[in-house]
Amino acid sequence: MKRIGWCILALYAGLQSNAQTVSKVSDPVEWVNPLMGTDSKVSLSNGNTYPAVAVPWAMNFWMPQTNTIGNGWAYQYSADKIRGFKQTHQPSPWINDYGQFAIMPVTGKLKFTQDARASWFSHKAETAKPYYYSVYLADADVTTEITPTERAAQFRFTFPATDSAFVVVDAFDKGSYIRIIPKENKIIGYTTRNSGGVPENFKNYFIIQFDKPFTLAHAWSGNQLAKDTLEYKADHVGAIVGFKTFKGEKVNLKVASSFISPEQAALNLQREVGGDSFDATKQKAKQSWNKELGRILVEGGTSDQVRTFYSCLYRVLLFPRKFYEYDAGNRIVHYSPYNGQVLPGYMFTDNGFWDTFRAVFPFFTLMYPELNSHIMEGLANTYKESGWLPEWASPGHRDCMIGSNSASLIADSYLKGIRGYDIEALYEGILKNSENEGPLSSVGRKGVKYYNELGYVPYDVKVNENAARTLEYAYDDFTIYKLAIALKRPQAEIDRFAKRSQNYRNIFDPETKLMRGKKQDGKFMAPFNPFKWGDAFTEGNSWHYTWSVFHDIQGLAGLMGGREQFAKMLDSVFNMAPVYDESYYGGVIHEIREMQIANMGQYAHGNQPIQHMIYLYNYAGQPWKAQYWVRQVMDRLYHSGADGYCGDEDNGQTSAWYVFSAMGFYPVCPGTDQYVLGAPLFPKTTVTLENGKRFVIEAPGNSKTNVYTQSVTLNGKAHTKNWIGHAEIQNGGVMKVVMGATPEKTRGTREDAFPYSYSTSKK
């Protein structure tokens, strides 16, 4: 009985501790868990992330590598061995990596192949932070520490007492080069390994500087040690260098790389690390994270809510990657992943706009207009260097996903007043997209001739995911329409895109009140199963894609029979069972499984197409349902652990949904200046904008049960709209949201409170 009593007390104390709130965040980077989402596999994604040891938007990330070379799931939380510490540029396991190489300490024997050098490790002896990673390698009896800069890093290995301490450098297969320079305690080389999207001359040049002389040095190739040479060029080469160490001796490495040249790699090392100690670099990296994470400070949430918020914000600030460097004259230059030349100006990469146009880039237009301007310049450079705007880049064009959503990014940036880039070149690229298919199916618009002539991409003309393409092209045409007005383009051009923005109507089936594939002869495809994934849709079914009319929700509601029927259709998403038809894929893909196990009906938050859908209750005059379901998703489908996501994180998009939703609003339609209201997660959130002004969201009484908005004031005045404007946030001030445990069903029910829709606004 005594033992049981103590157990009950301990459990009660644990529950009390978990329920405690965080009154103030002063060191936000310490709340980040880079392992969030790493407990993933091909069949089930809980994020498909890896612990990126990096600074925001860095050219290079570092990571512990648990899986074999070429495996996109390079770090899996369930693994028990580490094979190396890899410089990575991987944006997604499905896209995989490029320009990677690895460093690994070993002891005892000259073990250099990836399996021989692998060491057991435990999460109990692992520290993962954005700016610092440490792990104990049990087989080698070595502790590895890493801290990053944008294009360089420092390593610190703590060795045991041994005359057989080694460091392995693996330049990976598919063509690599290594050279050991013992007189300078240095290793240089390059790797060409990639997964596509690179010119023929692609190389990632690296330099590794040791602070300890080598007592042994060998190159190696494949499985063979090359004892007679310090230089090797072959399919798969590397180096192994050795030392005699005393117990606790720390061997330091300074590492940098460049996509331009070996000399540029050395310049990057000198500029970003120079004579700094490991701890100095670590402190700078920590400061860089706190500077960015500290732009949004939350108060009053539980410990896990705070951890989840900052872990998500960390993910938002990783991509797109800075794919540019500073030359000897401190000028911004980049190696073009499109034509292989070294050219002036910005370049960014590792992003799929199908995912990130929804919330990541709207977050940048809100919080980082200067960065957004640089990204726009990078898009213009991509168009000039390749002849096409990017849609999925890693590092060059990749054949992945659908849409021409670069239009959304560009329009949203320009319409929100961001300048400093060649908008004429970007608009030229947008126009080219609207009339042409590209060299890859993801570039330009696949099926564009049908779309422009018929007003939809037909189901029976061998263009896959045709209904999804129609919906996304129509939205993109809306953003072009808005941009064309701002650029004072010819009226005929403006009218053309305005008309095309309504093409979503052409695939709406009035019988089922859902979007449906339509054949070239104008008849709907049959039989129709709205639960069938893929086929006419992209990684989803009709219940997921029907809502992809971001710009004209009132028009969609009208097709469904009015606001009441529209709201009932929204309700149906949650009320139905999570049934599915996987026949198009020939098996259950991970996105289907993630919807099935979430127990939220047909709501598939683990993938992007439906992520905005909850906010559409605001267009139906039932905003309290949006408030309820937003909180349900945040509480049930996110947490800060290794399985903390409910599907692919995808370059910050699923994280950006959480960050926006926690603040209390979401950009349903990029290309307009509105953020649609949900309800804040935290009692107080302070947002410091780039212009120096602060926007504070206060939600007194906010709690696990008080999830409903009772009233809203903006700078002391009643705010009756179901949205807030971009300028209202940028001007700073206080939005106060009074929260309660029951729905307030009179606020936000009138049409004058509803967010923008093309059909009702037409401007």
Side-chain angles (χ1 to χ4, degrees):
M1 284 297 295
K2 187 174 182 181
R3 173 173 287 183
I4 293 172
W6 276 111
C7 288
I8 292 171
L9 286 172
L11 176 61
Y12 177 76
L15 292 172
Q16 287 292 98
S17 175
N18 189 53
Q20 288 178 353
T21 58
V22 179
S23 60
K24 184 179 180 182
V25 172
S26 57
D27 206 5
V29 71
E30 298 302 335
W31 290 91
V32 174
N33 179 18
L35 300 180
M36 180 178 172
T38 60
D39 187 11
S40 298
K41 53 189 175 182
V42 175
S43 59
L44 184 69
S45 173
N46 288 311
N48 269 340
T49 62
Y50 56 86
V53 188
V55 294
W57 307 292
M59 189 177 87
N60 302 326
F61 301 168
W62 288 89
M63 65 177 295
Q65 179 187 351
T66 63
N67 266 325
T68 54
I69 294 171
N71 190 318
W73 284 260
Y75 178 96
Q76 284 184 294
Y77 191 82
S78 59
D80 46 35
K81 285 188 177 182
I82 288 176
R83 288 178 162 84
F85 300 93
K86 183 171 80 161
Q87 186 189 93
T88 180
H89 305 94
Q90 179 170 298
S92 156
W94 310 105
I95 290 291
N96 217 303
D97 210 345
Y98 64 91
Q100 64 268 50
F101 63 96
I103 299 171
M104 182 70 174
V106 297
T107 55
K109 296 180 180 179
L110 294 172
K111 298 172 288 188
F112 56 87
T113 63
Q114 61 177 329
D115 290 333
R117 70 187 184 231
S119 173
W120 282 78
F121 82 106
S122 167
H123 298 299
K124 300 177 181 69
E126 179 187 42
T127 300
K129 299 179 184 294
Y131 63 90
Y132 171 77
Y133 180 85
S134 172
V135 68
Y136 175 68
L137 301 173
D139 291 321
D141 190 21
V142 173
T143 296
T144 295
E145 300 171 89
I146 312 170
T147 190
T149 71
E150 286 190 345
R151 297 164 191 84
Q154 294 215 49
F155 279 71
R156 186 162 63 191
F157 299 124
T158 302
F159 281 98
T162 178
D163 59 1
S164 302
F166 307 106
V167 172
V168 178
V169 177
D170 189 340
F172 285 15
D173 57 352
K174 310 298 184 184
S176 49
Y177 166 79
I178 204 82
R179 182 185 172 203
I180 308 168
I181 310 172
K183 289 182 179 180
E184 300 179 31
N185 305 333
K186 186 187 296 181
I187 298 173
I188 62 173
Y190 64 72
T191 175
T192 65
R193 194 177 216 286
N194 65 84
S195 305
V198 299
E200 289 186 5
N201 67 346
F202 170 79
K203 292 181 177 69
N204 184 27
Y205 302 92
F206 57 82
I207 178 172
I208 306 171
Q209 182 68 60
F210 293 73
D211 71 345
K212 186 177 177 66
F214 311 147
T215 57
L216 172 148
H218 301 298
W220 54 266
S221 176
N223 297 324
Q224 299 298 314
L225 198 64
K227 294 189 176 182
D228 58 343
T229 183
L230 299 177
E231 187 173 15
Y232 220 123
K233 179 182 177 182
D235 176 71
H236 187 180
V237 302
I240 184 166
V241 295
F243 329 90
K244 181 179 180 180
T245 56
F246 57 82
K247 182 176 174 59
E249 182 172 359
K250 291 175 170 51
V251 176
N252 293 276
L253 283 64
K254 296 179 177 181
V255 188
S257 68
S258 168
F259 295 105
I260 295 173
S261 69
E263 294 78 15
Q264 183 67 44
L267 185 62
N268 291 344
L269 184 63
Q270 179 57 38
R271 176 180 282 116
E272 297 192 8
V273 177
D276 284 356
S277 67
F278 182 95
D279 290 333
T281 296
K282 178 181 173 183
Q283 186 60 29
K284 287 180 180 179
K286 180 176 181 177
Q287 288 171 352
S288 70
W289 276 111
N290 272 338
K291 176 187 174 186
E292 308 305 345
L293 296 171
R295 294 276 302 276
I296 306 178
L297 294 175
V298 299
E299 301 175 29
T302 66
S303 293
D304 191 66
Q305 287 172 336
V306 174
R307 288 191 185 97
T308 304
F309 180 84
Y310 285 109
S311 298
C312 285
L313 185 52
Y314 150 77
R315 291 283 165 195
V316 178
L317 303 181
L318 286 172
F319 296 103
R321 181 184 313 287
K322 293 178 178 178
F323 202 76
Y324 61 85
E325 304 172 53
Y326 293 86
D327 69 11
N330 209 35
R331 295 176 292 258
I332 294 169
V333 294
H334 66 271
Y335 165 81
S336 173
Y338 303 100
N339 63 23
Q341 299 176 33
V342 178
L343 297 166
Y346 289 103
M347 180 60 65
F348 291 79
T349 191
D350 290 331
N351 220 257
F353 297 159
W354 182 83
D355 303 289
T356 56
F357 84 83
R358 305 164 194 271
V360 174
F361 282 94
F363 185 79
F364 294 159
T365 60
L366 177 66
M367 296 297 298
Y368 294 98
E370 183 178 9
L371 171 73
N372 181 274
S373 175
H374 296 165
I375 293 171
M376 292 302 115
E377 182 184 329
L379 294 186
N381 287 334
T382 295
Y383 176 65
K384 293 170 184 177
E385 293 162 26
S386 74
W388 297 93
L389 289 168
E391 302 298 337
W392 228 123
S394 181
H397 294 304
R398 301 292 293 276
D399 201 1
C400 185
M401 307 312 293
I402 68 164
S404 55
N405 295 309
S406 54
S408 174
L409 272 65
I410 295 162
D412 197 50
S413 174
Y414 193 83
L415 293 168
K416 286 176 178 167
I418 300 172
R419 299 293 186 269
Y421 48 88
D422 189 347
I423 187 60
E424 297 301 327
L426 290 172
Y427 192 77
E428 179 184 306
I430 287 172
L431 289 181
K432 183 176 180 180
N433 272 2
S434 73
E435 300 293 336
N436 295 277
E437 293 193 358
L440 305 173
S441 68
S442 61
V443 176
R445 292 186 177 183
K446 188 173 183 180
V448 68
K449 285 185 169 49
Y450 297 108
Y451 175 82
N452 289 349
E453 291 172 10
L454 300 176
Y456 63 95
V457 181
Y459 180 82
D460 56 346
V461 294
K462 297 183 179 180
V463 177
N464 64 329
E465 303 167 9
N466 37 81
R469 293 182 194 275
T470 299
L471 293 169
E472 292 197 21
Y473 296 165
Y475 161 68
D476 292 326
D477 284 337
F478 164 78
T479 68
I480 301 170
Y481 152 73
K482 296 285 280 186
L483 182 57
I485 293 173
L487 294 176
K488 297 181 171 55
R489 300 291 298 183
Q491 190 61 45
E493 189 172 292
I494 294 170
D495 292 344
R496 180 167 79 247
F497 289 108
K499 181 180 178 181
R500 287 180 182 172
S501 78
Q502 296 299 291
N503 282 344
Y504 72 89
R505 296 174 179 270
N506 296 328
I507 61 166
F508 180 82
D509 173 21
E511 181 181 348
T512 61
K513 296 183 174 60
L514 294 168
M515 298 297 174
R516 182 173 177 179
K518 180 181 278 189
K519 295 189 291 186
Q520 194 172 0
D521 64 5
K523 297 178 181 178
F524 284 110
M525 52 81 67
F528 174 54
N529 181 354
F531 303 109
K532 185 177 184 179
W533 282 62
D535 199 18
F537 301 98
T538 302
E539 294 182 1
N541 62 34
S542 182
W543 277 105
H544 305 146
Y545 249 99
T546 290
W547 318 105
S548 293
V549 188
F550 312 94
H551 57 294
D552 197 11
I553 300 303
Q554 293 303 333
L556 177 62
L559 292 176
M560 289 183 174
R563 283 194 283 137
E564 289 298 321
Q565 184 61 39
F566 177 71
K568 289 179 181 177
M569 291 291 285
L570 291 171
D571 292 341
S572 296
V573 171
F574 298 107
N575 293 335
M576 290 183 292
V579 297
Y580 57 84
D581 175 352
E582 79 285 11
S583 59
Y584 176 78
Y585 298 109
V588 177
I589 62 173
H590 75 91
E591 290 91 348
I592 295 176
R593 188 69 71 207
E594 288 141 18
M595 179 198 74
Q596 181 196 29
I597 65 177
N599 192 28
M600 294 185 77
Q602 286 292 314
Y603 184 71
H605 190 81
N607 210 22
Q608 281 66 43
I610 205 170
Q611 286 182 351
H612 68 294
M613 167 252 165
I614 289 173
Y615 286 91
L616 301 189
Y617 281 111
N618 285 282
Y619 299 73
Q622 298 181 16
W624 59 90
K625 291 183 179 177
Q627 295 153 21
Y628 171 81
W629 284 113
V630 165
R631 184 65 67 91
Q632 285 290 303
V633 172
M634 286 193 286
D635 284 353
R636 290 166 56 180
L637 302 186
Y638 290 81
H639 66 82
S640 63
D643 62 342
Y645 291 104
C646 56
D648 281 356
E649 196 282 325
D650 282 329
N651 299 149
Q653 169 56 32
T654 302
S655 292
W657 186 94
Y658 188 94
V659 170
F660 266 121
S661 296
M663 290 193 289
F665 47 86
Y666 187 79
V668 167
C669 185
T672 69
D673 64 347
Q674 297 179 358
Y675 304 89
V676 180
L677 297 183
L681 178 64
F682 298 97
K684 185 176 181 181
T685 303
T686 302
V687 180
T688 302
L689 301 158
E690 197 167 270
N691 61 16
K693 295 181 180 179
R694 290 186 175 181
F695 185 72
V696 181
I697 303 113
E698 295 180 350
N702 201 340
S703 69
K704 189 173 181 63
T705 54
N706 290 355
V707 302
Y708 295 104
T709 296
Q710 308 298 299
S711 64
V712 181
T713 58
L714 184 61
N715 298 325
K717 297 180 180 178
H719 185 80
T720 59
K721 296 175 292 187
N722 290 348
W723 55 274
I724 185 169
H726 182 78
E728 290 175 312
I729 297 174
Q730 289 290 321
N731 289 335
V734 178
M735 183 172 74
K736 186 172 183 178
V737 184
V738 176
M739 305 291 289
T742 56
E744 166 50 59
K745 295 187 178 181
T746 61
R747 188 193 173 280
T749 59
R750 295 168 36 134
E751 288 189 14
D752 59 7
F754 298 173
Y756 174 93
S757 283
Y758 174 89
S759 290
T760 53
S761 298
K762 292 191 177 177
K763 60 180 180 180

